[in-house]
Amino acid sequence: MIDSGEEKTRGGGSPTPVRPERLRGPVEFVGRATELAQLHRLVATPPCLILLEGEPGIGKSRLVAELLAELPGRHLVGECDDVPEPFPLGVLLDAIRGGADRLGPLNPVAGALAPLLPELADVLPNAPPPLTDPAAERHRLLRAVAAVLAALSPATLLLEDLHWADPATCELLAYLSTRPVEGLAVVLTARTATPGSSTPIHDALARTPPWSVTRVALGPLDAADVHRLAARTLRLDDPPQQLTTTLLDRTAGIPFVVEEVLRTLAERGGDPLADDSVPFVLRDVLLWRMRPLDEATREVLGAAAVLGMMPDQRILASVLSLDRVAIGAALTAAHRAGLLHDAGDGLRFRHDLARQVVYDLVPRESRKWLHLRVARVLEQELPRPVAQLAHHYRRAGSGADFVRNAEAAADLATERGDDATAASFLLQTMDIAELPRPVRVRLAAKLGRSAIDGLSQAEAIPVLERLLADRRLPPGARGELGLVLGRMLRQQGEALRGYTEIERAVPYLRAPRRKAPALAVLAAPDTVVGRHVDEHLARCAEAETAATASGDPAAHLAVRIARASLLLELGDPAAWAIIAELRASAELADRPREHARACLNWAQGALHAGHPEQAEALLAAGRALVDETGYERLASLVEATELSLDRAAGRLDGLVERLGRLVANAERMPVTLLDARAELATVLALVAGTGPGDTAEGRNGAGGTTEGRNGAGSTAEERNDLRSAAERRDDVQAAERALRDVVADARRVGAIWPLVQALSALARLLLVDRPDEAVGHASEALSLVRGKGVLAWAAEAVLVLAEAAAATGEPARAASAVAELEAGIAGREAPLALAALRRCREFVPATGKLPW
């Protein structure tokens, strides 16, 4: 069954007999002394989390094996499979099982693992009652694993092949990176992410602070290491330099390939350079090793490669219709030939590279037949291994069976709260060309719901766009898919596109419980250009009608949260009564994730209007809820709101650096990124704007005290003494570049709040040196705000216009803008805008009496 290919033998004779004794045990360990010493230093002072990265075959597993062999104490080991079941935390649970006999007293929260580890029911606490919020349930599960790991510590936790890890495991490891378990050293191995792609573990760790994970990268062996390895393996005092050069050239210094080639050279004996047919690439090495095997053994070995890294003899026997004795004899022969090795719990391929080579040697049609046979055998297993079935049916070319099992795997993952895994399975189904439209629509709707809060949005968006472009799409599906697409686009930072998609979807949403939250999204005024606040108010009223018709408490809650946010932005004092009522309600308390999101949105609205004390209280409540639920997607929003509050209060020390870190770490959360960049650029402009001849108030805009705006205890004059003109010029140029970048990106995506904020800050920055350009930017900001109808947002822009007009001796030029601001905030709770208006009247006196 395996294609033997074309091979040469020395002198046309029989192949040299294999010497099994040369195949036992690993080749000498060389070339990793520095990395091994670094790992020893790190694990000697736990807690720590180490990510060991490198390409396939680079020696990650060998290095950690050497590490564990030299480490005293308890080792917890788990290994990911390349076809994971939709079962959260599987690799961690395997590691825990290995040390469960030494478990001591446990925190009661560890009982959350009882349903996942029934074999440990006698040592785990009783399972707690289920929670209504899936995010809170997932966070409790993470805390349970951490509690068990704490009970097993001090220990070293080694998890291998994390590039295949399920998203829940990756989420836990990100959790442990910032909440380490005392006495626990965590060592992870993973393949390096390739350019343009990523894996859940890389995505998860990318969102953690840089200091929380130590990354150790392994590169190829150099010439000296290859020379030393050749000397030890071939038992030569000084191998020819030509051999080292050839090995390095043909193996790229990848240790696994170098080892396999050297093993083959050792087995063949003689002069390794006497014949240019000596194989130097892995495929040829394995071909040479398979030469002594008969056809029946090759057939079993090929089926084993189809089955996986550690083939199950019982399944192989069923697939090939052979008895277990024949299967065992064939695998033993493959072991003697150096194609498999004894892992202690069975025979397995030494490396996935070796398995892949053997797999590729099986003719394509034979592979498809074997995958189909494996799937038919696995169909009899209980519970059905749906992820493996999906994998094998897909490789067999059986689209309908693949979709059936992939959907089942996705449903199972969703049931367990693992949306990212569900999205991964559903994305694969979208590649099946012959998928009937109703099935594709059903699966796409599931994909949308699972990808909303997962890591698969970028891949899901084009799938949904293609479906919505189909004019034959049923109306109900158009509404559901359009709503999901709109939400995804908004979360990706595409404010206007997302808003527009939801607008298009609303007429097709038949169920009031679905229409109400969609309309509530359209009620938010601070996200999109080109929509007047009257439209937002109308959408909010429609949402309230739909929520009432639905009778759904969740829909009613979403609309009430949106109503409070809208009123906050409008400066309507009724917002505070709604917020107080909601925060005291059981409906919101029972949904901690929505509670956290609402508090953070309200805190931002309070900041926009100029209520720092209320914003501080709401931020504190939101931060506590995020910590409690472990909802990591809101962590960046917490930090961004906190930094905005510090800027508004004038706490500028270290703010640029903190904002810079947030921007760097928010790359995978675009919904937060643009606001954070606007905040960073504004702070840069504040710092740069205190130059010779400027007043603190005139350069830094409305809001706060002179002391607060310029940093604790320092005046503009004191700062000027510390900064040269050249330094100030450089700072101004850096701030201007940052602001222009934000303006360009905010225009592109149609995000109004960061656009107005950046334009106003840019106008302020340029007012002294380029007043005409400053007036242009301030006028654009005012025009945008006029189109929105929330005039309080234009306070800083109007102040710039008033100052510019006064500087030219023509204050009347700004009179209409100041009057417009005055009328727009009349009767509103807008402290920031009111303070700016007072400053405006110093430059542009009113003709009548002011209402304050």
Side-chain angles (χ1 to χ4, degrees):
M1 185 164 293
I2 291 180
D3 184 0
S4 61
E6 294 184 8
E7 306 170 62
K8 299 179 182 178
T9 59
R10 290 178 293 175
S14 301
T16 305
V18 174
R19 303 175 185 175
E21 68 277 8
R22 292 286 188 105
L23 299 175
R24 294 178 182 171
V27 174
E28 291 283 350
F29 182 70
V30 301
R32 302 299 188 200
T34 301
E35 292 89 348
L36 184 59
Q38 182 184 8
L39 293 179
H40 271 293
R41 287 195 302 272
L42 291 168
V43 300
T45 55
C48 61
L49 193 150
I50 306 160
L51 177 62
L52 185 62
E53 294 182 283
E55 62 183 298
I58 207 67
K60 301 180 292 292
S61 297
R62 180 62 187 281
L63 178 58
V64 293
E66 294 289 331
L67 173 70
L68 293 187
E70 299 173 4
L71 276 183
R74 180 177 300 170
H75 305 157
L76 308 172
V77 180
E79 183 179 354
C80 296
D81 187 17
D82 62 339
V83 187
E85 287 291 334
F87 193 81
L89 305 172
V91 64
L92 277 155
L93 299 181
D94 287 344
I96 288 171
R97 286 187 189 94
D101 57 329
R102 294 161 289 183
L103 274 173
L106 287 167
N107 186 313
V109 75
L113 288 180
L116 302 179
L117 291 170
E119 63 270 47
L120 303 184
D122 55 333
V123 296
L124 290 174
N126 293 329
L131 299 174
T132 56
D133 184 0
E137 185 81 56
R138 187 165 62 249
H139 180 60
R140 186 169 67 179
L141 190 62
L142 301 185
R143 290 172 54 216
V145 175
V148 174
L149 291 174
L152 290 169
S153 295
T156 300
L157 173 65
L158 168 63
L159 303 178
E160 290 228 61
D161 295 328
L162 266 294
H163 47 275
W164 289 326
D166 63 278
T169 294
C170 300
E171 185 180 359
L172 174 77
L173 293 170
Y175 175 86
L176 289 179
S177 72
T178 54
R179 302 169 183 82
V181 172
E182 192 64 34
L184 182 69
V186 182
V187 182
L188 316 175
T189 72
R191 293 179 183 173
T192 306
T194 56
S197 65
S198 190
T199 65
I201 187 59
H202 291 97
D203 287 335
L205 295 183
R207 299 193 303 273
T208 62
W211 49 261
S212 63
V213 180
T214 301
R215 287 173 167 81
V216 178
L218 292 185
L221 299 178
D222 60 21
D225 294 330
V226 171
H227 184 84
R228 188 159 51 250
L229 193 56
R232 295 181 182 179
T233 306
L234 301 176
R235 299 181 182 179
L236 299 173
D237 293 333
D238 186 18
Q241 187 60 41
Q242 182 185 349
L243 174 62
T244 300
T245 302
T246 306
L247 279 170
L248 197 58
D249 178 57
R250 299 189 183 180
T251 66
I254 298 174
F256 174 73
V257 183
V258 176
E259 286 187 12
E260 292 300 299
V261 170
L262 288 172
R263 284 171 180 268
T264 304
L265 293 174
E267 292 160 8
R268 294 187 65 162
D271 183 354
L273 290 176
D275 185 354
D276 62 6
S277 70
V278 173
F280 282 100
V281 294
L282 185 59
R283 181 180 183 275
D284 289 338
V285 166
L286 297 181
L287 276 172
W288 187 85
R289 290 192 181 176
M290 284 190 286
R291 291 177 63 201
L293 304 180
D294 59 29
E295 187 60 33
T297 300
R298 291 187 183 201
E299 183 178 9
V300 172
L301 186 63
V306 168
L307 196 54
M309 285 292 291
M310 183 175 286
D312 185 309
Q313 294 191 27
R314 177 181 57 84
I315 294 176
L316 277 177
S318 297
V319 167
L320 298 174
S321 300
L322 296 172
D323 59 53
R324 293 280 295 275
V325 174
I327 296 294
L331 294 180
T332 299
H335 176 225
R336 285 199 302 267
L339 294 158
L340 301 175
H341 82 118
D342 191 346
D345 53 353
L347 295 177
R348 61 174 296 159
F349 289 94
R350 283 192 62 236
H351 195 281
D352 186 57
L353 283 175
R355 187 201 65 81
Q356 187 63 47
V357 169
V358 174
Y359 178 88
D360 291 341
L361 289 171
V362 179
R364 185 171 179 274
E365 290 305 314
S366 298
R367 286 201 305 263
K368 292 178 66 174
W369 179 85
L370 283 169
H371 278 295
L372 187 61
R373 285 288 301 153
V374 169
R376 296 297 188 225
V377 171
L378 292 177
E379 286 278 14
Q380 311 307 314
E381 302 284 308
L382 290 176
R384 292 173 62 250
V386 287
Q388 293 182 51
L389 285 166
H391 165 74
H392 288 293
Y393 277 127
R394 186 172 196 184
R395 293 296 184 91
S398 181
D401 287 319
F402 159 68
V403 170
R404 171 172 56 88
N405 285 282
E407 183 177 11
D411 290 343
L412 188 58
T414 300
E415 180 184 321
R416 291 167 172 162
D418 190 353
D419 288 337
T421 294
S424 175
F425 281 111
L426 292 165
L427 272 171
Q428 295 176 55
T429 67
M430 296 293 106
D431 294 335
I432 304 301
E434 66 271 19
L435 204 61
R437 183 180 295 103
V439 177
R440 189 179 297 278
V441 168
R442 184 186 75 240
L443 295 176
K446 289 184 177 183
L447 168 62
R449 288 191 290 271
S450 62
I452 279 290
D453 289 322
L455 301 171
S456 305
Q457 292 183 358
E459 294 89 348
I461 284 172
V463 171
L464 297 176
E465 288 176 330
R466 285 195 298 271
L467 283 169
L468 285 165
D470 185 350
R471 295 183 179 181
R472 296 169 295 178
L473 194 65
R478 185 171 298 280
E480 290 294 332
L481 297 183
L483 173 58
V484 169
L485 175 59
R487 291 180 62 195
M488 283 188 191
L489 287 169
R490 281 166 50 85
Q491 290 188 10
Q492 290 294 307
E494 297 287 341
L496 185 56
R497 284 181 62 203
Y499 193 97
T500 303
E501 285 294 344
I502 296 175
E503 279 185 321
R504 291 173 181 159
V506 164
Y508 298 101
L509 293 170
R510 297 168 179 169
R513 67 178 183 82
R514 297 290 291 160
K515 182 173 288 191
L519 288 164
V521 172
L522 299 180
D526 60 330
T527 56
V528 63
V529 299
R531 303 295 187 279
H532 194 273
V533 70
D534 289 344
E535 289 187 52
H536 297 302
L537 286 166
R539 294 296 193 179
C540 194
E542 293 176 45
E544 288 170 335
T545 301
T548 300
S550 74
D552 182 5
H556 184 69
L557 179 62
V559 173
R560 294 282 285 167
I561 291 172
R563 165 68 74 176
S565 297
L566 176 56
L567 295 181
L568 261 183
E569 297 289 355
L570 291 174
D572 190 328
W576 298 110
I578 298 175
I579 290 172
E581 177 190 338
L582 286 172
R583 295 205 57 210
S585 69
E587 290 83 2
L588 195 57
D590 289 343
R591 295 174 173 86
R593 184 167 64 176
E594 291 307 311
H595 193 175
R597 196 191 301 274
C599 284
L600 294 172
N601 286 338
W602 293 333
Q604 291 180 324
L607 276 175
H608 294 172
H611 300 288
E613 292 183 0
Q614 292 93 326
E616 186 86 61
L618 287 164
L619 172 61
R623 185 192 300 112
L625 286 162
V626 169
D627 289 342
E628 176 188 328
T629 61
Y631 189 43
E632 296 294 333
R633 286 190 65 86
L634 287 181
S636 63
L637 187 57
V638 169
E639 189 174 1
T641 308
E642 184 177 62
L643 294 172
S644 295
L645 189 60
D646 286 345
R647 195 263 295 178
R651 298 188 288 265
L652 302 185
D653 288 345
L655 197 55
V656 169
E657 292 76 15
R658 291 163 61 201
L659 278 163
R661 286 195 296 271
L662 175 63
V663 168
N665 292 330
E667 287 291 349
R668 297 189 181 279
M669 287 163 271
V671 69
T672 302
L673 182 56
L674 192 54
D675 282 343
R677 285 176 54 208
E679 196 71 45
L680 173 59
T682 302
V683 174
L684 288 172
L686 282 175
V687 173
T690 52
D694 302 325
T695 65
E697 292 181 342
R699 294 296 290 181
N700 288 303
T705 65
T706 301
E707 177 180 341
R709 284 192 300 275
N710 289 288
S714 65
T715 65
E717 289 76 17
E718 289 169 340
R719 285 186 170 218
N720 292 338
D721 292 340
L722 299 175
R723 297 169 62 240
S724 69
E727 288 174 329
R728 177 179 175 271
R729 184 173 59 251
D730 290 344
D731 288 348
V732 168
Q733 290 174 350
E736 183 179 348
R737 284 194 300 271
L739 286 167
R740 290 189 186 279
D741 286 345
V742 172
V743 167
D745 287 342
R747 280 185 183 139
R748 178 180 59 80
V749 301
I752 190 168
W753 176 257
L755 180 53
V756 169
Q757 183 183 9
L759 283 169
S760 301
L762 186 57
R764 169 64 59 196
L765 183 68
L766 302 179
L767 180 58
V768 171
D769 300 324
R770 284 175 272 170
D772 290 343
E773 194 173 341
V775 167
H777 293 310
S779 298
E780 182 183 353
L782 176 58
S783 177
L784 286 164
V785 172
R786 189 181 289 128
K788 178 61 63 176
V790 186
L791 265 296
W793 291 359
E796 176 68 3
V798 173
L799 180 55
V800 169
L801 292 174
E803 291 183 39
T808 63
E810 300 178 274
R813 289 174 55 191
S816 62
V818 175
E820 186 177 8
L821 174 63
E822 183 176 345
I825 66 173
R828 302 290 184 183
E829 283 191 355
L832 271 179
L834 192 59
L837 181 60
R838 289 193 179 99
R839 292 295 321 283
C840 287
R841 285 309 183 192
E842 296 175 13
F843 300 103
V844 184
T847 55
K849 186 178 179 181
L850 292 177
W852 29 265

